[in-house]
Amino acid sequence: MKRSLMFCMLMVSLSSIAQKNYLQESKVERDARMGWWRDATFGMFIHWGLYAQPAGIYNGQEVKGIGEWIMHTAWIPTDVYEGYAKTFNPTSFNAKEWVRIAKDAGMKYIVITSKHHDGFCLWDSKVTNYDIMDAAPYKRDILKELSDACKEAGIKLCFYHSIMDWHQPDAESKKEYGHQKNPSANWARYRETYLKPQLKELIEKYDPAVLWFDGEWIPEWTEDQGKDLYNYLRNLKPDLIINNRVGKGRAGMQGMNAYKDAAGDFGTPEQEILEGSSDFDWESCMTMNDTWGFKKSDHNWKSTEMLIHNLIDIAAKGGNYLLNVGPTAGGLIPGASVERLKEMGDWMRQNGEAIIGTGSLKQYKEGERVKYTVSKDGKFIYAILTSNPGKQLILKQVKTNGPVRMLGTSEQIQASTGAEGTRFTLPDKLPGSYAWVLKIPQ
Ligand code: FHN
């Protein structure tokens, strides 16, 4: 081990002596810290980086799989892939417009890739030149612009950050992601002199509300390293929220913790929704088509109805929905995503009260087409109908204690409770589309 590295590691372990152990947090402290995130319920995931340029095509050939993995899937040599940095010039990028799209959709936070597995950084990092400022002609700090726009709009900005790094020579994974064949790769050096300083930079410069890790499955990364990183980051920013991919806890794509005391504040189901609710906080991240990073050929878009029904299902089960967009190399969120987000926004303007800041009931559904949420003060139950039931609706699980209303209408809904349950007489024409909400006083 080089003396400079030894010195650096010694300093790190000395400084950790004075660090608070945030893994021992009380329930009260944890609830206070997680409050805004639990209320937020709906966020925008943004996968954006150099991979938006090839957009799924390499050497004229369509490359199978998700767009942001193209460096690995097409086995693109590092120096060739670096060429994409030299031409990355997203002149149509407009931070305010992205934030407006998210906010109008009813989203409360944005999680963007500060660095994905390919190692390219979307901010002006002092630790590397492989970033938007030094390696690309664009010369604008994307994270800074987003951070300013988010602050102005009252949206929380959060960063996705890959632990695995296919570009950094010290981070070459021994297993199967070796793009550089570096015989002297040094994981400890990568961790202490690259990964941690970059994360410190992100916190100090942009004050992210969440750090959302990924790429933790490589054999070099351990639960102890995850716990050390968790504490390191919380000591820098005590109210920071960190996902469970900071350690080794997540159980595959189902995303919840495989064992007790795993590091991290919330589970991360990927492309799936939990079967039921959970005592541990969770957030489902999902694509709108089949890729995270932009891919020209992927037109397999989910319908707006499906996206809204997913949001309802997740909210009823007490989770958050992190819905992805993959902007183009030019800096535009694809039109198909914008259309769907606009429609989701229309729905949320009418019905968002049943989603944002609500809680989950033990019996969160009745049959397949009614989901329940409850207002924070417990005064209202929201019955969310995911198909039009016709004029009469009978709900067995809920009683009313005052005038019932359907969100988006002003007339009172007739409701009476008897042996069969509570019978609601619904308006002839339901307001809006996709799902309807009865606000039922308790
Ligand atoms: O490998 C990544 C993938 O590219 C994408 O970032 C998703 C988002 O959750 N996570 C990974 C695999 O779990």
Side-chain angles (χ1 to χ4, degrees), residues 31-50:
D31 286 347
R33 186 168 56 89
M34 297 298 290
W36 77 262
W37 185 90
R38 289 174 182 159
D39 284 350
T41 313
F42 190 24
M44 175 183 273
F45 213 176
I46 305 180
H47 276 70
W48 199 37
L50 298 182

Side-chain angles (χ1 to χ4, degrees), residues 15-16 18-22 228-238 240:
S15 66
S16 66
Q19 292 205 335
K20 189 168 165 187
N21 182 5
Y22 283 98
D228 168 70
L229 185 61
Y230 181 92
N231 259 328
Y232 171 75
L233 298 168
R234 294 273 322 271
N235 273 277
L236 290 173
K237 179 176 161 71
L240 184 67

